[in-house]
Amino acid sequence: MQTRRRFLGAAATGVLGAALPGAFSTNVRAQDIDTAKIIVGFPPGGTTDVMARKVAEKLRGPYARSVIVDNRPGAGGQVGVIALKDAPADGSVMLLTPSSMLTIYPFTYPKLQYRIDEVQPVSLAMYTQHVFSVGPAVPESVKNLKDFFAWAKANPDKAAYGSPGAGSMPHLIGVLVAKVSGAELRHVPYRGSAPGIQELLGGQIAAFFGPTGDVLTHSKAGKVRVLGTSGAERSAFLPNVPTLREQGVSVGLREWYAFFMPAKASAQVVQRASEALRPVLAEREVTEFARQFGLEAQASGPRDLGELLKKDSAEWGGLVKQTGFTAES
């Protein structure tokens, strides 16, 4: 938490940097954009926010004179996507979002206020696994999912888990976990991870499902206990924690985060942004910073991201049916 606070404080103001010669293959110059904005659909302090601020710091100068982060929390990240679709298409506005908003929400929200074709892929940014964690409200004797299920059955009034938002990937993985638990696990949606983690630490909620990075520091400090990870293989950040699959839950999922622009942005504008992001996301300082939050930084071209978006959308269409979740649930 202290690392995040120091970073947020340092990133609060724009710093003018010098343009990198030869950084872009297009003819659009850094000076053409005075202030660029990265929209984040979650409150300050969460995984998406801290990475957006780190990238913004590195883009100042090479991409625009100033790059700021614009937090638009609400509706589990939907507000950020809505803000992007009608934003200027001149390259001055990008969105950094988890994949759930685009690969899952179209199948869970019948009245979604945006369509996938209203945003345009720019670059992949990073990957993470989601983790199921418990806090001080759950006894120390609970060491794994089996223990938690037994405790939840014995304490139905306390058996609740939080997530960054209803219909998000952590929430739906939680639904799959609840289906095999034999217990009534109540879901509590939050406006992003940060407020949910605070209530987990305070004991107001028993458990939380969210990105690895949101609990990694607290796990190392012994303030929360991670009982399972969502990936097909164990997390490199939590190698001693068994996967959900190892504990009887048939999932092997990780979430990606990516940059998008409004659909009406030109190919040249999109390509310039993608090329600006590639060296930033490969920079050692950025990759090591990402690892502090349980993230694997990785860039891509617009086309590859578009293909990934289509593939995951098709997969999640089937998984959502398995969960039985809808926005009215």
Side-chain angles (χ1 to χ4, degrees):
M1 182 61 69
Q2 291 300 318
T3 300
R4 290 179 183 172
R5 287 175 178 168
R6 288 196 298 270
F7 175 69
L8 292 174
T13 58
V15 179
L16 178 63
L20 297 180
F24 315 112
S25 64
T26 69
N27 294 320
V28 181
R29 300 170 301 172
Q31 290 81 1
D32 292 335
I33 300 178
D34 183 34
T35 299
K37 180 189 300 183
I38 299 176
I39 296 173
V40 171
F42 301 95
T47 298
T48 314
D49 176 74
V50 295
M51 282 304 297
R53 292 178 186 276
K54 189 64 174 178
V55 171
E57 173 190 313
K58 296 296 181 177
L59 289 178
R60 290 179 188 124
Y63 186 72
R65 293 187 182 91
S66 175
V67 184
I68 63 174
V69 173
D70 182 8
N71 296 93
R72 300 287 189 93
Q78 294 180 46
V79 173
V81 185
I82 295 169
L84 176 75
K85 70 173 187 175
D86 295 321
D90 58 359
S92 64
V93 181
M94 287 188 280
L95 168 75
L96 177 59
T97 182
S99 56
S100 294
M101 282 80 258
L102 299 171
T103 60
I104 296 177
Y105 285 12
F107 302 104
T108 57
Y109 289 89
K111 297 181 180 179
L112 201 63
Q113 296 182 47
Y114 58 83
R115 302 186 311 273
I116 292 180
D117 61 7
E118 291 181 297
V119 300
Q120 186 166 181
V122 175
S123 174
L124 190 65
M126 52 206 176
Y127 285 97
T128 190
Q129 290 194 34
H130 292 299
V131 297
F132 186 71
S133 306
V134 296
V138 179
E140 291 285 343
S141 58
V142 173
K143 304 293 185 182
N144 51 44
L145 280 186
K146 182 179 178 180
D147 293 344
F148 180 78
F149 294 161
W151 176 83
K153 292 175 185 177
N155 298 271
D157 57 324
K158 300 178 182 179
Y161 72 95
S163 81
S168 65
M169 188 180 296
H171 171 216
L172 295 183
I173 296 174
V175 172
L176 295 173
V177 169
K179 282 182 175 293
V180 303
S181 71
E184 292 292 331
L185 300 182
R186 180 170 54 88
H187 174 239
V188 181
Y190 289 89
R191 296 180 65 186
S193 291
I197 295 299
Q198 288 303 310
E199 295 211 342
L200 178 70
L201 294 170
Q204 287 86 16
I205 191 169
F208 190 83
F209 233 126
T212 302
D214 289 342
V215 299
L216 196 58
T217 300
H218 305 304
S219 173
K220 291 178 179 179
K223 295 180 180 179
V224 302
R225 303 188 305 283
V226 181
L227 304 187
T229 59
S230 71
E233 299 178 352
R234 292 196 179 191
S235 168
F237 303 101
L238 296 162
N240 296 323
V241 178
T243 65
L244 299 176
R245 181 174 290 176
E246 289 179 83
Q247 300 181 77
V249 184
S250 298
V251 298
L253 303 164
R254 62 177 182 169
E255 183 147 27
W256 48 264
Y257 299 68
F259 288 94
F260 292 85
M261 280 186 176
K264 54 185 178 289
S266 70
Q268 182 188 35
V269 165
V270 171
Q271 188 62 29
R272 175 183 179 255
S274 183
E275 292 179 6
L277 288 164
R278 186 177 294 277
V280 167
L281 293 166
E283 189 174 330
R284 183 173 179 178
E285 180 185 343
V286 174
T287 59
E288 290 184 352
F289 181 82
R291 289 185 61 81
Q292 295 179 47
F293 304 98
L295 300 165
E296 301 173 63
Q298 181 179 333
S300 76
R303 179 176 297 179
D304 288 341
L305 176 57
E307 292 176 354
L308 178 62
L309 176 60
K310 291 179 182 178
K311 173 181 175 293
D312 279 17
S313 294
E315 180 178 5
W316 271 105
L319 289 173
V320 168
K321 290 182 180 179
Q322 291 181 32
T323 66
F325 172 80
T326 66
E328 288 78 21
S329 297

